[in-house]
Amino acid sequence: MRTEPIADGSGTPVPVARTWHWGRWLAAAVALVVAGWLAYLVVVNPRLDWGKVAEYLFNERILSGVWVTIEISVLATALGLVLGVLVAVMRLAHNPVLSGLATFYIWFFRGTPVLVQLIFWYNLAFLFPELVLKIPFTMIGLKWDTNQVMTGFTSAMLGLGLNLAAYFAETVRAGIQAVDRGQTEAAYALGMTPAKRMRVIVLPQALRIIIPPTGNEFISMLKTTSLVYVVAGHDLMTNASQIYKANNRIMELLIVASVWYMVMTAVATFLQGRLERRFGSDAVRLVRGGGVAARVLPKVAA
């Protein structure tokens, strides 16, 4: 970094003039004016009752919907992550049947809209009025009424989780393939089985690549749960829509729902940032410390 002043041939310091980027200032001013104008039109609109917005912001049904939204998001993300790891391992398997099934799963769930999948699971009773789990060729087992099992909450969790698993599978596959191949070959040379190699060597290193995008998927899931209103899952959007259908305060309730979605997204974004910093520092320590394989393989060899 230069610390001495710039001088001409005679040694006289040359003043450095700051460059003014008038185009940037003009673009910023125009953007602020347009944004302020739009905000003003909304705030002073006589057809919008901000008192009702404040009244329903902490309404019991709205808060209940917020909690259900968080529950669905967490459970669907957990289900998607577990199934995504399984599908990714199947996708990378040398068995053509397992690899083909995993490929079909990813193609099917990524190729059909989430809304269609939610409605399908909610109406599963049209295909299977009863869900039966029994020992083959016997009468020993359990039976459930599909309508009682496939509630709005269950359909939402299952539909969103299965859909998310297809996207997670590709993230996990990329993380696994990012692990240095030399460590895999070293594990094979030490006689490790494919399962042990995946569990001990590959997955621990792939996690530093897999887990940070989980935050993005969870944030996306928080907003995708708004589709659950079509199956009456008692989430935030469902409860808000039921309220505005009763009192016709559509815009006020949509603003209330938007505020809560933004709050949940802000909290999730903050946690995602901490997660990425945590695993980013872990990645540096892995490089400096020789990686997981460098710590595990010598112990195995011993």
Side-chain angles (χ1 to χ4, degrees):
M1 178 182 293
R2 184 183 182 92
T3 57
E4 297 180 357
I6 300 175
D8 57 13
S10 62
T12 304
V14 177
V16 178
R18 181 177 179 179
T19 302
W20 292 92
H21 302 279
W22 297 107
R24 296 180 185 177
W25 286 100
L26 180 60
V30 171
L32 286 175
V33 169
V34 172
W37 176 65
L38 293 175
Y40 174 79
L41 291 179
V42 174
V43 171
V44 303
N45 194 309
R47 295 180 178 85
L48 189 60
D49 190 345
W50 289 100
K52 290 295 182 180
V53 174
E55 176 184 343
Y56 284 104
L57 192 60
F58 296 99
N59 181 271
E60 182 178 353
R61 292 178 64 185
I62 294 296
L63 294 179
S64 175
V66 170
W67 178 247
V68 172
T69 296
I70 295 174
E71 283 185 323
I72 293 175
S73 300
V74 171
L75 294 175
T77 303
L79 176 62
L81 182 58
V82 172
L83 287 179
V85 173
L86 178 62
V87 173
V89 173
M90 291 173 58
R91 178 73 174 81
L92 295 172
H94 296 294
N95 187 320
V97 176
L98 294 180
S99 179
L101 289 174
T103 302
F104 175 79
Y105 179 94
I106 295 171
W107 170 77
F108 178 82
F109 281 96
R110 292 178 66 180
T112 54
V114 181
L115 185 61
V116 174
Q117 296 174 33
L118 290 174
I119 297 174
F120 173 85
W121 289 113
Y122 187 66
N123 293 283
L124 188 64
F126 284 105
L127 292 178
F128 305 102
E130 295 177 338
L131 299 176
V132 180
L133 180 63
K134 67 176 184 178
I135 301 175
F137 309 109
T138 69
M139 299 300 294
I140 303 174
L142 300 173
K143 182 172 64 176
W144 300 274
D145 185 350
T146 304
N147 284 321
Q148 294 181 356
V149 174
M150 284 298 168
T151 61
F153 183 91
T154 307
S155 302
M157 182 189 68
L158 190 60
L160 295 176
L162 292 176
N163 179 266
L164 186 61
Y167 292 91
F168 263 142
E170 292 298 277
T171 302
V172 173
R173 182 172 67 88
I176 291 174
Q177 292 179 329
V179 177
D180 184 64
R181 186 172 180 81
Q183 299 191 41
T184 303
E185 294 173 350
Y188 275 130
L190 291 172
M192 285 188 177
T193 63
K196 186 175 183 180
R197 170 185 60 83
M198 183 65 67
R199 186 181 68 255
V200 177
I201 303 299
V202 178
L203 281 181
Q205 297 180 82
L207 282 177
R208 72 175 186 265
I209 301 173
I210 295 170
I211 288 184
T214 303
N216 285 328
E217 296 294 350
F218 180 74
I219 292 171
S220 177
M221 180 63 68
L222 283 171
K223 293 172 288 186
T224 306
T225 54
S226 61
L227 296 175
V228 176
Y229 85 96
V230 299
V231 296
H234 301 293
D235 64 304
L236 174 58
M237 191 61 200
T238 300
N239 289 359
S241 65
Q242 290 175 350
I243 295 174
Y244 70 61
K245 287 176 183 177
N247 61 15
N248 205 33
R249 295 289 183 176
I250 299 175
M251 300 307 297
E252 287 83 353
L253 268 299
L254 289 178
I255 291 175
V256 168
S258 299
V259 168
W260 278 111
Y261 280 121
M262 288 189 292
V263 169
M264 290 186 289
T265 300
V267 173
T269 302
F270 171 75
L271 295 176
Q272 179 199 14
R274 295 182 62 87
L275 189 68
E276 289 181 348
R277 286 194 295 270
R278 170 72 170 82
F279 278 87
S281 60
D282 277 354
V284 172
R285 286 197 293 270
L286 284 171
V287 172
R288 292 176 178 175
V292 174
R295 298 195 297 270
V296 175
L297 293 179
K299 297 180 181 179
V300 176

